[in-house]
Amino acid sequence: MTNDETVTRIPRIDFAKAAPKAFKALIGFDAAARQGLDPALVELVQIRSSQLNGCAYCLHMHTTDARKAGESEERLHMVAVWREAAPFFTEKERAALALTEAVTLVSSGGVPDDVYARAAAHFDEPELAGLLALIFTINTWNRIALSTAKVPGTDERVAH
C-alpha cells in the first residue's frame, strides 16, 4: 500500500447486535476494570494499547475522550514515545504504560518480572488488578473493532 491509498472497509458483522450478551458482559467488565483508577491513566492505557494494536477506531475514540477529560495535546502526542518523553508522564503512568505494552504484546516474551514489579510498586493489589483488567478489555475492544472493520471517527457507543 502506498501513502496515497486508503483502506476500504467492507461491511462486516455488528458484534453488539449479533452477540448482545457477550457485548454487554464486556461493557460490564470494562466498567468494573475502571473502578478505582485515575480516569486520565485509563485513557493513556487505552491509547497506548490501541496504538500498539493498530486500532484507529479505538485510538480516535480514546484520544477524543482524553481531550474531553482535559488531557493536553502535548501529552497525547507523546504517548507513542513515552520512554523518550519521560518528563511528560509520572513514574506511576510510565509503570502503567510499560505494563500495557507487555500485556498487549504478550506473545513477544510474556510479561517480564521487572515490568510487573515496577507496576506493583505503584499500584496496590486492587488497583493493579483493575489495571490488568483494563488492559485486557482494551485489547479485546481493539480486536473487536479490527475484526469487524469499525470506521475511525464513528463512535458507536451511544448507539448501544
Side-chain angles (χ1 to χ4, degrees):
M1 182 183 309
T2 67
N3 289 340
D4 295 345
E5 294 178 25
T6 59
V7 176
T8 303
R9 302 272 183 204
I10 298 170
R12 295 185 181 175
I13 192 170
D14 181 333
F15 183 79
K17 287 182 181 174
K21 287 182 182 178
F23 188 77
K24 287 179 184 173
L26 186 54
I27 288 172
F29 185 45
D30 187 289
R34 295 164 183 260
Q35 290 181 355
L37 294 176
D38 174 26
L41 179 72
V42 167
E43 296 305 331
L44 292 176
V45 165
Q46 293 179 124
I47 289 166
R48 187 63 187 132
S49 183
S50 298
Q51 289 171 334
L52 293 169
N53 286 321
C55 184
Y57 178 82
C58 292
L59 184 58
H60 181 270
M61 180 185 299
H62 294 296
T63 54
T64 299
D65 288 351
R67 283 183 192 95
K68 287 178 185 173
E71 187 61 77
S72 73
E73 288 297 319
E74 194 170 45
R75 278 176 33 108
L76 290 176
H77 291 297
M78 295 294 123
V79 174
V81 292
W82 65 269
R83 283 183 181 83
E84 292 80 14
F88 289 89
F89 303 100
T90 67
E91 179 56 35
K92 186 174 185 174
E93 290 169 336
R94 292 191 304 269
L97 290 167
L99 186 62
T100 299
E101 289 183 357
V103 174
T104 299
L105 303 172
V106 71
S107 67
S108 297
V111 177
D113 289 339
D114 64 321
V115 172
Y116 183 87
R118 181 179 179 191
H122 292 281
F123 295 89
D124 63 26
E125 282 194 4
E127 288 176 317
L128 184 57
L131 177 60
L132 285 166
L134 177 70
I135 298 166
F136 304 156
T137 59
I138 188 56
N139 274 280
T140 301
W141 288 124
N142 289 163
R143 280 151 180 76
I144 291 169
L146 289 164
S147 299
T148 62
K150 293 291 184 197
V151 178
T154 61
D155 186 345
E156 296 177 1
R157 291 177 293 185
V158 293
H160 299 287

